[in-house]
Amino acid sequence: MTAITNLLSFLGLVVTLLIVWRQSWPGRLRLFIAQSLLLALLALVIGVLVGKAGLLVVAGMVVLLKAWLIPRALARIAAGTPVRSVAPGHSAAVPVLVAGALVVVAYVVMLPVNAATTLPTAGGIPLAFAMALIGLFVCVSGRDALGHLLGFLMFENGIFGLALLATYGLPGLVEAGVFLDVLAIVLLMEGVLLRVRREHDSIEVDRLEELRG
Amino acid sequence: MTLLLLLGLPLAGAALSTRLSGAAARAAHGLTAGGTLAAAAAVVAAVMRDGSVTALDGLLRADALSAWMVGLVGLVATLAAIEAPRQVPRTEARRFYPLLHLFTFTMLLALTTDDVGLMWVAIEGTTLASVFLVNFERSRSSLEASYKYLLICSVGVALAFVGTILVYFADVQQFGDELYALRWTTLLRLAPGLPARVIELAFVFLLVGYGTKAGLAPMHTWLPDAHSEAPAPVSALMSGVLLSVGLYAVLRFKAVVDLAAGPGFASRLLVALGLASLGVAAAFLWAPRNFKRMLAYSSVEHVGVVCLGLGFGGPLGVAGAVLHIANHGLAKSVLFLLSGRIRAAYGSAEIPAVSGLLAAMPLTGRGFLVAMLALAGLPPFGLFVSEVMIFAAGFQDGHVAASVLGLALLVVAFAGLLRATHRMLYGPAPVGTRETAHWPSTLALAAALLLLIVTGLAWPPGLAAALEQIASLLAP
């Protein structure tokens, strides 16, 4: 069990780093779907190995929401924007370096957690947390609303992975609430951003500067 | 049963008002608001009688702290509901009332559930329910405010989720009881045996996460935008009680971390964040330009004061903080509701655009003056008493430097607030700006101000006992 959960967490982190490295939108979106599918697989594996049927439902929900419905919404939001690289004129080297440093940070922050457990899945905990931190980094360094939203969703995926590895998922009621929340956030964001596009002809956040002081 | 009623009424009202318009929509709005207030009063009464009430196998539970907050939400939601028809055009009712009652429902759910996982869901729900209320006026600036609000608060609350997972992890690792592991009562019972370092780490995430929702600096950047762009009844709810719901969540976890890791850890963090919030607010309040933003920054200031009270700790500090939450909630919601009237009459929320308020709008102007004096912390109003309690606790427990700095920042904010108020109240009144409100519609606001004098001058029987009970829940 340790081997396979560690492998899946590691693959998840690799995909996360690839998202940071990748500069085209469709490419990033495909990688996000891959990340979500890996998490669904993780939920499935843990569910089967520890015998928690609830996690199988959770895996199905992840596929439905994060590999299908949410990417479709993201594609709708992106549909009106011109195809260009995420950060024109900037190399991906610095963000990838930052992401690498965040992996180290994640290991340090999660030290007390790893010290308190003998779970077979413990090895993946810092990796999942690193995925969350890198997502947060993508979110705060994003240049337009799509970058913010994608970063937030990667952040959320990392947290979901953390919950799977550290506690084999949360109680059903909370899990259901989390899925509803994520879906609602994306749909509300779509509503807000479509209005922003109508008003500003762009979803670049640099243009949002009416409110200061 | 009362708890189910308390949650069911606003939810049913929200569902119903999606289908109604015109007079029927207003009637449904009034009934929902009145029913919610009555149910809140019933919950408070039941808790005063029995100590706590539960429902749904303990999933819902209200103790003295919940009841205190439920009572406050009930009062502020009623004030907002009474003012709403003045601010919301009839044709837009369907876009406003369902979300308003849904917003109230999510806050009440966060306050009355014993499950910290469900509390997280409810607090995230408060953001989702209020996003389109912030953008109600559909202006460019309100659109920008709602975008910032949704993004920053979602990220913040997701950080709180990391904290919740870590608490659950510690709990399950130690005790294995999965079904009730996220119940606050379970956590409190098991706290002394939980691994201290993990709980400390969890608390950092929870404080930053729920602190974002509470508007603590430096995570407050969304707050002035959202609170100033929302329509007045929504601003009143957001500044008056939504911030306190974030603080409430911090409070619940502080009790757990105090037992698991000793009281010093949470206390240091809270004092630091409290001073940061006071500092940021004082810097802005020195020379504000827009009166709705001024009120919003003043909320950052008062959240900072509450945090100081919690950080100083002890029965006096906690009681002062909890009392301050209620005092600030009442004063700030009255001010936001009046500011809605001022903005409508003057056509602007800029301070230089408003002059001669007392002459042009005697009723609104006088109310604004009285509420502003209360907010600034002058006697005989309740905020003076709760601030004295908080800083007395600070000096008593040896936080002298933090107390002195906090008081100095309060004085700066005080001076800025009064100067801006003076500029608005006096001077030549523009031609054609008239009072549109009459006495009856202002009675509720006057009652709220009267309540502030009550908490300032003469505590009714039971208030001291209630505060003592809350303090003993959180600082045993």
Side-chain angles (χ1 to χ4, degrees):
Chain A
M1 177 161 178
T2 303
I4 185 154
T5 53
N6 279 359
L7 176 67
L8 284 174
S9 320
F10 176 71
L11 287 178
L13 183 61
V14 170
V15 171
T16 311
L17 288 170
L18 282 176
I19 298 180
V20 177
W21 174 71
R22 196 87 164 102
Q23 293 288 301
S24 90
W25 263 115
R28 283 192 153 190
L29 197 55
R30 278 194 296 275
L31 283 168
F32 172 74
I33 295 175
Q35 191 195 43
S36 303
L37 288 174
L38 276 171
L39 284 172
L41 194 59
L42 185 64
L44 193 71
V45 166
I46 294 179
V48 170
L49 290 182
V50 272
K52 268 180 102 171
L55 281 182
L56 306 186
V57 181
V58 168
M61 288 296 288
V62 173
V63 173
L64 178 70
L65 281 180
K66 290 183 174 164
W68 188 56
L69 280 177
I70 288 176
R72 270 167 54 115
L74 286 177
R76 278 201 300 274
I77 297 173
T81 49
V83 181
R84 56 173 179 77
S85 72
V86 174
H90 292 267
S91 103
V94 176
V96 171
L97 269 180
V98 173
L102 286 175
V103 178
V104 180
V105 172
Y107 264 97
V108 175
V109 172
M110 285 294 137
L111 277 178
V113 175
N114 280 72
T117 182
T118 51
L119 283 177
T121 49
I125 290 175
L127 299 174
F129 186 63
M131 285 165 65
L133 282 185
I134 294 169
L136 191 58
F137 167 65
V138 171
C139 181
V140 297
S141 65
R143 273 151 207 273
D144 62 10
L146 268 178
H148 289 169
L149 191 50
L150 181 75
F152 173 73
L153 289 167
M154 291 164 64
F155 178 43
E156 222 282 326
N157 265 355
I159 297 175
F160 175 75
L162 180 70
L164 277 177
L165 294 163
T167 63
Y168 298 161
L170 290 156
L173 184 67
V174 180
E175 204 79 82
V178 172
F179 281 128
L180 254 178
D181 273 334
V182 176
L183 185 63
I185 287 172
V186 172
L187 295 181
L188 284 175
M189 205 53 123
E190 189 186 352
V192 171
L193 290 177
L194 291 184
R195 282 187 201 173
V196 170
R197 164 111 39 77
R198 266 207 304 275
E199 290 274 337
H200 295 258
D201 301 317
S202 154
I203 49 175
E204 274 177 50
V205 185
D206 297 344
R207 307 231 183 140
L208 294 178
E209 50 191 14
E210 305 236 335
L211 300 168
R212 287 284 150 90
Chain B
M1 187 59 207
T2 44
L3 281 178
L4 290 179
L5 213 57
L6 176 73
L7 297 175
L9 274 168
L11 197 59
L16 191 65
S17 43
T18 54
R19 319 204 145 264
L20 299 174
S21 59
R26 285 198 179 193
H29 167 63
L31 280 176
T32 309
T36 308
L37 179 65
V43 168
V44 172
V47 170
M48 279 175 79
R49 196 179 55 234
D50 304 333
S52 70
V53 282
T54 56
L56 300 180
D57 186 28
L59 182 66
L60 300 179
R61 178 174 179 276
D63 56 15
L65 178 63
S66 307
W68 179 267
M69 299 293 300
V70 164
L72 180 67
V73 171
L75 286 176
V76 173
T78 307
L79 291 178
I82 292 174
E83 190 75 5
R86 297 177 58 83
Q87 311 267 348
V88 179
R90 271 165 195 272
T91 48
E92 303 282 1
R94 217 178 281 193
R95 219 156 57 76
F96 189 82
Y97 294 127
L99 287 175
L100 186 73
H101 293 301
L102 190 65
F103 183 32
T104 311
F105 163 76
T106 52
M107 286 195 281
L108 290 172
L109 178 62
L111 297 173
T112 53
T113 175
D114 192 35
D115 187 303
V116 293
L118 188 58
M119 178 175 82
W120 181 86
V121 173
I123 290 184
E124 177 66 42
T126 61
T127 313
L128 303 179
S130 51
V131 168
F132 279 115
L133 288 173
V134 171
N135 184 221
F136 182 70
E137 289 171 7
R138 291 189 163 148
S139 63
R140 268 184 172 223
S141 48
S142 74
L143 193 58
E144 182 183 335
S146 56
Y147 175 73
K148 270 194 196 173
Y149 175 49
L150 179 58
L151 187 72
I152 298 178
C153 283
S154 299
V155 169
V157 173
L159 283 170
F161 193 57
V162 175
T164 309
I165 291 171
L166 292 178
V167 167
Y168 182 60
F169 162 82
D171 201 354
V172 175
Q173 281 297 302
Q174 217 71 6
F175 300 98
D177 169 24
E178 293 190 14
L179 190 54
Y180 295 107
L182 275 177
R183 298 277 166 92
W184 183 75
T185 35
T186 313
L187 285 173
L188 202 64
R189 184 162 48 81
L190 303 179
L194 296 177
R197 293 291 312 283
V198 177
I199 295 294
E200 284 179 0
L201 182 63
F203 186 72
V204 171
F205 282 107
L206 290 161
L207 181 61
V208 172
Y210 289 131
T212 307
K213 206 68 197 146
L216 280 172
M219 294 85 73
H220 69 285
T221 48
W222 59 274
L223 186 153
D225 301 343
H227 288 203
S228 63
E229 290 299 326
V234 179
S235 312
L237 276 170
M238 291 179 92
S239 250
V241 281
L242 179 59
L243 299 180
S244 316
V245 173
L247 284 174
Y248 166 89
V250 172
L251 222 68
R252 290 282 178 195
F253 283 108
K254 180 180 180 287
V256 175
V257 73
D258 280 353
L259 285 175
F265 181 76
S267 162
R268 276 193 298 277
L269 290 176
L270 284 165
V271 169
L273 284 187
L275 286 177
S277 306
L278 269 168
V280 164
F284 178 87
L285 289 173
W286 182 245
R289 288 191 311 274
N290 173 308
F291 58 83
K292 284 194 88 176
R293 290 182 84 79
M294 171 177 83
L295 294 177
Y297 269 103
S298 143
S299 295
V300 176
E301 175 202 350
H302 285 281
V303 167
V305 172
V306 172
C307 258
L308 282 183
L310 297 176
F312 294 156
L316 189 61
V318 173
V322 171
L323 183 61
H324 199 71
I325 286 178
N327 285 331
H328 169 255
L330 288 172
K332 188 53 64 64
S333 46
V334 169
L335 279 165
F336 262 118
L337 293 173
L338 290 173
S339 79
R341 296 183 181 182
I342 298 171
R343 207 187 113 190
Y346 282 83
S348 168
E350 299 292 313
I351 290 172
V354 178
S355 67
L357 188 60
L358 271 180
M361 306 173 75
L363 206 55
T364 304
R366 267 180 273 169
F368 196 78
L369 172 63
V370 173
M372 210 52 159
L373 293 178
L375 184 74
L378 288 177
F381 297 102
L383 284 101
F384 174 73
V385 175
S386 46
E387 280 173 2
V388 167
M389 285 167 77
I390 287 170
F391 286 101
F395 283 113
Q396 239 173 44
D397 293 347
H399 297 273
V400 178
S403 303
V404 170
L405 183 57
L407 279 171
L409 291 169
L410 265 187
V411 170
V412 174
F414 174 89
L417 277 178
L418 286 195
R419 203 168 46 183
T421 311
H422 181 85
R423 202 168 295 165
M424 290 167 68
L425 288 175
Y426 302 102
V431 189
T433 304
R434 277 186 307 110
E435 184 81 77
T436 50
H438 302 292
W439 255 111
S441 65
T442 314
L443 267 183
L445 301 182
L449 291 176
L450 202 64
L451 212 54
L452 276 177
I453 297 182
V454 170
T455 60
L457 272 187
W459 283 13
L463 181 60
L467 287 173
E468 216 167 274
Q469 204 181 340
I470 294 171
S472 70
L473 271 178
L474 296 171

